[in-house]
PDB file of all heavy atoms in Angstrom:
ATOM      1  N   MET A 537     129.103  40.742 118.662  1.00 89.00           N
ATOM      2  CA  MET A 537     129.509  42.041 119.036  1.00 89.00           C
ATOM      3  C   MET A 537     128.271  43.028 119.193  1.00 89.00           C
ATOM      4  O   MET A 537     128.174  43.765 120.076  1.00 89.00           O
ATOM      5  CB  MET A 537     130.469  42.586 118.052  1.00 89.00           C
ATOM      6  CG  MET A 537     131.138  43.914 118.394  1.00 89.00           C
ATOM      7  SD  MET A 537     132.179  43.783 119.936  1.00 89.00           S
ATOM      8  CE  MET A 537     132.799  45.436 119.913  1.00 89.00           C
ATOM      9  N   ARG A 538     127.354  42.844 118.192  1.00 90.00           N
ATOM     10  CA  ARG A 538     126.108  43.725 118.276  1.00 90.00           C
ATOM     11  C   ARG A 538     125.393  43.470 119.631  1.00 90.00           C
ATOM     12  O   ARG A 538     124.887  44.499 120.296  1.00 90.00           O
ATOM     13  CB  ARG A 538     125.319  43.415 117.053  1.00 90.00           C
ATOM     14  CG  ARG A 538     124.178  44.463 116.896  1.00 90.00           C
ATOM     15  CD  ARG A 538     123.443  44.179 115.540  1.00 90.00           C
ATOM     16  NE  ARG A 538     124.382  44.134 114.378  1.00 90.00           N
ATOM     17  CZ  ARG A 538     124.667  43.019 113.767  1.00 90.00           C
ATOM     18  NH1 ARG A 538     124.149  41.818 114.057  1.00 90.00           N
ATOM     19  NH2 ARG A 538     125.516  42.991 112.751  1.00 90.00           N
ATOM     20  N   TYR A 539     125.257  42.193 119.939  1.00 90.00           N
ATOM     21  CA  TYR A 539     124.553  41.789 121.098  1.00 90.00           C
ATOM     22  C   TYR A 539     125.158  42.402 122.444  1.00 90.00           C
ATOM     23  O   TYR A 539     124.507  42.957 123.295  1.00 90.00           O
ATOM     24  CB  TYR A 539     124.522  40.282 121.287  1.00 90.00           C
ATOM     25  CG  TYR A 539     123.850  39.697 122.451  1.00 90.00           C
ATOM     26  CD1 TYR A 539     122.542  39.502 122.562  1.00 90.00           C
ATOM     27  CD2 TYR A 539     124.693  39.216 123.498  1.00 90.00           C
ATOM     28  CE1 TYR A 539     122.053  38.880 123.649  1.00 90.00           C
ATOM     29  CE2 TYR A 539     124.103  38.550 124.618  1.00 90.00           C
ATOM     30  CZ  TYR A 539     122.709  38.401 124.731  1.00 90.00           C
ATOM     31  OH  TYR A 539     122.120  37.870 125.731  1.00 90.00           O
ATOM     32  N   VAL A 540     126.528  42.354 122.382  1.00 87.00           N
ATOM     33  CA  VAL A 540     127.277  42.966 123.493  1.00 87.00           C
ATOM     34  C   VAL A 540     127.133  44.434 123.649  1.00 87.00           C
ATOM     35  O   VAL A 540     126.822  45.017 124.643  1.00 87.00           O
ATOM     36  CB  VAL A 540     128.728  42.526 123.517  1.00 87.00           C
ATOM     37  CG1 VAL A 540     129.466  43.256 124.586  1.00 87.00           C
ATOM     38  CG2 VAL A 540     128.924  41.023 123.598  1.00 87.00           C
ATOM     39  N   GLN A 541     127.316  45.164 122.482  1.00 85.00           N
ATOM     40  CA  GLN A 541     127.190  46.576 122.434  1.00 85.00           C
ATOM     41  C   GLN A 541     125.913  47.191 122.751  1.00 85.00           C
ATOM     42  O   GLN A 541     125.796  48.307 123.217  1.00 85.00           O
ATOM     43  CB  GLN A 541     127.786  47.074 121.061  1.00 85.00           C
ATOM     44  CG  GLN A 541     129.141  46.942 120.821  1.00 85.00           C
ATOM     45  CD  GLN A 541     130.080  47.824 121.697  1.00 85.00           C
ATOM     46  OE1 GLN A 541     130.321  47.439 122.914  1.00 85.00           O
ATOM     47  NE2 GLN A 541     130.583  48.870 121.187  1.00 85.00           N
ATOM     48  N   GLU A 542     124.802  46.351 122.474  1.00 86.00           N
ATOM     49  CA  GLU A 542     123.482  46.808 122.819  1.00 86.00           C
ATOM     50  C   GLU A 542     123.249  46.587 124.295  1.00 86.00           C
ATOM     51  O   GLU A 542     122.032  46.893 124.765  1.00 86.00           O
ATOM     52  CB  GLU A 542     122.460  45.927 122.006  1.00 86.00           C
ATOM     53  CG  GLU A 542     122.459  46.346 120.508  1.00 86.00           C
ATOM     54  CD  GLU A 542     121.647  45.464 119.615  1.00 86.00           C
ATOM     55  OE1 GLU A 542     121.068  44.484 120.193  1.00 86.00           O
ATOM     56  OE2 GLU A 542     121.502  45.725 118.481  1.00 86.00           O
ATOM     57  N   GLY A 543     124.125  46.187 125.099  1.00 84.00           N
ATOM     58  CA  GLY A 543     123.973  46.099 126.587  1.00 84.00           C
ATOM     59  C   GLY A 543     123.094  44.883 127.057  1.00 84.00           C
ATOM     60  O   GLY A 543     122.580  44.953 128.126  1.00 84.00           O
ATOM     61  N   LYS A 544     123.050  43.837 126.173  1.00 88.00           N
ATOM     62  CA  LYS A 544     122.157  42.701 126.555  1.00 88.00           C
ATOM     63  C   LYS A 544     123.000  41.623 127.370  1.00 88.00           C
ATOM     64  O   LYS A 544     122.322  40.730 127.857  1.00 88.00           O
ATOM     65  CB  LYS A 544     121.722  42.081 125.333  1.00 88.00           C
ATOM     66  CG  LYS A 544     120.834  42.915 124.505  1.00 88.00           C
ATOM     67  CD  LYS A 544     120.313  42.376 123.221  1.00 88.00           C
ATOM     68  CE  LYS A 544     119.454  43.246 122.446  1.00 88.00           C
ATOM     69  NZ  LYS A 544     118.980  42.621 121.146  1.00 88.00           N
ATOM     70  N   VAL A 545     124.296  41.790 127.627  1.00 87.00           N
ATOM     71  CA  VAL A 545     125.024  40.848 128.351  1.00 87.00           C
ATOM     72  C   VAL A 545     124.669  40.876 129.789  1.00 87.00           C
ATOM     73  O   VAL A 545     124.586  41.948 130.485  1.00 87.00           O
ATOM     74  CB  VAL A 545     126.614  41.024 128.064  1.00 87.00           C
ATOM     75  CG1 VAL A 545     127.254  40.054 129.081  1.00 87.00           C
ATOM     76  CG2 VAL A 545     126.878  40.857 126.803  1.00 87.00           C
ATOM     77  N   GLN A 577     132.646  46.093 130.272  1.00 84.00           N
ATOM     78  CA  GLN A 577     131.296  46.145 130.897  1.00 84.00           C
ATOM     79  C   GLN A 577     131.376  45.563 132.244  1.00 84.00           C
ATOM     80  O   GLN A 577     130.295  45.398 132.899  1.00 84.00           O
ATOM     81  CB  GLN A 577     130.178  45.653 130.030  1.00 84.00           C
ATOM     82  CG  GLN A 577     130.015  46.424 128.792  1.00 84.00           C
ATOM     83  CD  GLN A 577     128.942  45.908 127.861  1.00 84.00           C
ATOM     84  OE1 GLN A 577     128.137  45.105 128.350  1.00 84.00           O
ATOM     85  NE2 GLN A 577     128.901  46.367 126.629  1.00 84.00           N
TER      86      GLN A 577
END
Side-chain angles (χ1 to χ4, degrees):
M537 186 64 175
R538 191 175 306 110
Y539 178 81
V540 173
Q541 289 293 81
E542 289 173 355
K544 297 178 179 179
V545 176
Q577 293 178 18

